[in-house]
Structures are given as structure tokens and as C-alpha cells.
Amino acid sequence: MQAREWLVLSRLPGVGSRQLATIAERSPAWPQGWLATLPGEAATALRLWLEHPARSPIATLLEADQAWLAADPARHLLHVGHPAWPDLLGQIADPPPVLWALGDLAALSSPRLAMVGTRRPTREGLGNATAFARELASRGWCVVSGMALGVDGAAQQAALEAGGRSVAVLGCGVDLVYPPRHHRLYRRLQEPGGLLLSEHPPGTRARPGFFPRRNRIVTGLSLGVLVVEAAEKSGSLVSARLATEQGREVFALPGSIHNPQARGNLQLIRDGAVLVRDIDDILAELTQWRALPDPDAAAPPPVSTGEGAASSADPLLRWLSGSPTPVDALVGLSGLGIAECQRRLLELELEGRATQAVGGWVRLPSPPGAC
């Protein structure tokens, strides 16, 4: 489906993201298949828009949405099928039907790690957020967070200042600054390397209920989540729980037993989160990312595999291993466009060199007698 259809679905009343995702998995034909499966209120609204658009409230909303998108080339509507849509979101139970984007879509092409923590960090917590974000940026990772005060904002600012990439997922429209104190960071996230995302249309003001929902996107976009510093009842623990439910790795920095702002971290470690001392502790768990490419190094020459084996020497094989690697991460590592990356993966699958698994693509052992 095209952007217009996804935009209409996102505006339907009486249907949530989880239900839309369940229906989308069946690949219903547009529009009749959707009309047959949508719940009553949503189906009625869609039918009205299709048959009598001038009488439909959706038509007015759609016109405003399209006008906002057309006003600036840095504004985008992401959806399944869009070249920049993060495939990792397809693994969660309730992905947003669309994501409103403002900034540099290239930020989504790097492997991503979420960094979260308290809004009232200690000096040590702020220092750790800054240091880990800078190191992640230097290793080619994108820092994902919610642009909140404290740890979140400090990590994102540090990643960008180090020349890296960062994605902020907002609990309001991407055209609004929340919290207002992060106006400078908000502007920086619209420059190269930065990106603002939201499932809410432009003009939507922040509400308390939006932030827990926002957190599922922060973790869903990421291969794992690093909790830098969190109290026992911190919202960061909600993010950690969501990450676990989504099959993501949870990492936590240890803290003093005398620091109330670190008790949440100690609880996470007690419950099984990976204790982190440095960046290598994180990358050791995310085994497919142990060797990120050096941007200044020349690519190795293709391996010759004999006549008729051009596809088996595909450079994508360099980035595949026995651990699943998501498509959007392969795009960032290989430098290929998403369409070209998907085409090559299909060829490798047909040759029996790679296959799709939960969490991404894996490399298959060479068949007996293969060169």
C-alpha cells in the first residue's frame, strides 16, 4: 500500500495500532479486504471516506496532513514499504501504522541502541550517559531515546556532538518541542545525523498517556536498551520491560547501593539484565556487531568462488553470521539501498546461502563440495 492508504488507516477511529498490525499481517486487498476485517466504527469511517469524501472528517485531516508534509523536504511519512521504514518495528506486537519524521532519514540506516535513564541524574549518571553515547557514536551506532530531560537528552546531545547519529521518539507531534527546555537539542536533531519521530500527527500536544506508548517505539527501533541510571519506580524500567517483551537485550550500568537513582539498575541486574562496564560488554552480547566497518578502511576484495558464482560472492555475506541481522542494519553496514539489499538477500536465499530468521537474516553453511 502507498502512503495515502496508510495515512487514512492511521486516522480511522475505533481501531488501535495492535489491531491494525494484526490485520496488516493478512495482507488484505485495498480497500475491500480492509473493509471486511476492520471493526465496525473504523469500517464505517473508511467506507464514508471512500464513497463520500466531502462528507468525511478524514478528508479534512488528510488534506492538512499532506499540506504539512509538502511544506518541507525534511518532513516524511514512514510506513511499511517506505525505503526508510525500520524493519525492526515489524517484530513488535503493536507497531505504529505510520511514523511522522522530521530530519535526516539516514539516521535510521545505522545499527541502533536505546539509551534511557532518570530525568534527575547524578553527576556520575550524566557523565556515564555522555561517555557511553560518544563511544557508541565513534563505533558507528545510532543513539535512540525520547529527548527527555536528564539522561535521555544528555546521551542524544553527546552522540550528535561527537559527529554521530541520534533518533528522538516524541510523545507529541514532531512539530512541537517537548520538553520546552530542549529547544536547542530539538533544533540539532533536525540537522544531519539527527531525526525526530512520532506516531502522532503534527500539532498533537504531549499527554501523560503518550509517553509509555512512546517507549515501545524507542525500544522497538533498537537492538537493545542501555539503562544508564534509574530509580526503583523510574519510567526507564518500563522501557526495560518492553525491551524484554520485544526480545531485545537489556543492559544496565551498576551503581552504588547508597544512590537512590541507581536502585532501578541494581534491580534490573538482579533480574537478569547484562551488567555493563564498558561499550565492549554491550557489543559482546550483540555478537553480530563485534566488528563494525571502519569508514576510512578500504573494503576487502570480493572472494572468487568460481564460474557462475557471482551472487555467492555478494558483499552482503560479509555482514551475515549465525546470529540474525536486521535488514535495516544490513543497509547501514553495506551502504546499499534497502531495495537493492532486499533483492540481494532474496538471491542469496534462493541459492541457499542465507535465510530469514526471527530477528533478521542469517548466513547458512556452505553446502558440501562448494568452493
Side-chain angles (χ1 to χ4, degrees):
M1 295 196 305
Q2 301 301 310
R4 183 178 176 85
E5 284 77 33
W6 283 110
L7 194 51
V8 170
L9 290 172
S10 73
R11 288 295 198 172
L12 293 177
V15 60
S17 58
R18 186 183 295 267
Q19 196 164 9
L20 285 175
T22 300
I23 297 172
E25 285 178 357
R26 306 173 198 159
S27 301
W30 177 267
Q32 294 304 322
W34 282 91
L35 284 170
T37 52
L38 284 166
E41 184 182 4
T44 299
L46 177 57
R47 186 173 289 106
L48 177 63
W49 178 77
L50 290 166
E51 297 176 357
H52 306 285
R55 291 164 44 193
S56 169
I58 292 177
T60 302
L61 296 173
L62 201 61
E63 184 177 352
D65 291 342
Q66 292 175 323
W68 186 85
L69 289 165
D72 188 331
R75 299 174 180 180
H76 310 274
L77 184 77
L78 306 185
H79 54 86
V80 173
H82 188 286
W85 179 258
D87 286 348
L88 280 173
L89 283 180
Q91 300 175 13
I92 71 174
D94 51 349
V98 299
L99 279 172
W100 298 86
L102 178 60
D104 182 7
L105 292 181
L108 290 170
S109 65
S110 299
R112 298 178 296 273
L113 187 79
M115 287 186 65
V116 299
T118 176
R119 287 171 171 76
R120 294 178 293 278
T122 63
R123 181 177 298 180
E124 181 183 22
L126 274 179
N128 285 336
T130 299
F132 273 80
R134 285 176 177 163
E135 181 68 12
L136 282 167
S138 74
R139 303 281 191 104
W141 284 71
C142 172
V143 171
V144 182
S145 203
M147 209 179 83
L149 297 174
V151 164
D152 297 27
Q156 296 194 267
Q157 187 71 46
L160 293 168
E161 288 176 352
R165 293 172 169 176
S166 185
V167 173
V169 185
L170 306 184
C172 58
V174 293
D175 57 333
L176 301 177
V177 185
Y178 190 89
R181 282 167 53 187
H182 271 332
H183 197 274
R184 177 171 169 266
L185 175 57
Y186 175 84
R187 290 198 310 271
R188 177 61 187 85
L189 282 159
Q190 296 176 56
E191 298 173 5
L195 183 65
L196 296 151
L197 294 177
S198 177
E199 65 181 319
H200 304 290
T204 304
R205 297 196 172 276
R207 299 179 188 170
F210 288 167
F211 294 99
R213 297 282 296 158
R214 178 272 310 271
N215 291 347
R216 86 189 194 284
I217 301 175
V218 170
T219 55
L221 284 169
S222 309
L223 292 165
V225 56
L226 172 62
V227 181
V228 175
E229 190 175 57
E232 284 182 299
K233 297 190 185 240
S234 171
S236 301
L237 301 190
V238 175
S239 295
R241 176 180 57 78
L242 288 168
T244 300
E245 292 172 356
Q246 294 167 350
R248 308 299 194 252
E249 202 71 62
V250 178
F251 305 94
L253 296 180
S256 168
I257 60 173
H258 304 294
N259 176 12
Q261 296 296 73
R263 288 178 184 165
N265 289 54
L266 297 176
Q267 177 182 324
L268 288 172
I269 293 168
R270 183 193 63 193
D271 293 343
V274 177
L275 186 152
V276 171
R277 299 162 298 175
D278 53 37
I279 288 294
D280 289 331
D281 285 338
I282 297 174
L283 301 188
E285 293 296 321
L286 303 174
T287 53
Q288 64 267 46
W289 304 114
R290 280 182 181 168
L292 288 175
D294 180 350
D296 298 322
V303 178
S304 175
T305 55
E307 184 179 356
S311 295
S312 62
D314 194 297
L316 274 181
L317 286 174
R318 176 188 180 193
W319 306 116
L320 292 175
S321 67
S323 300
T325 304
V327 171
D328 48 352
L330 285 170
V331 168
L333 290 168
S334 66
L336 299 171
I338 190 165
E340 176 67 7
C341 187
Q342 290 174 330
R343 182 186 69 78
R344 293 191 183 193
L345 286 168
L346 178 59
E347 290 180 355
L348 291 171
E349 185 174 35
L350 292 173
E351 292 178 356
R353 297 277 178 170
T355 190
Q356 197 164 13
V358 176
W361 286 79
V362 296
R363 183 171 182 168
L364 294 175
S366 297
C371 296

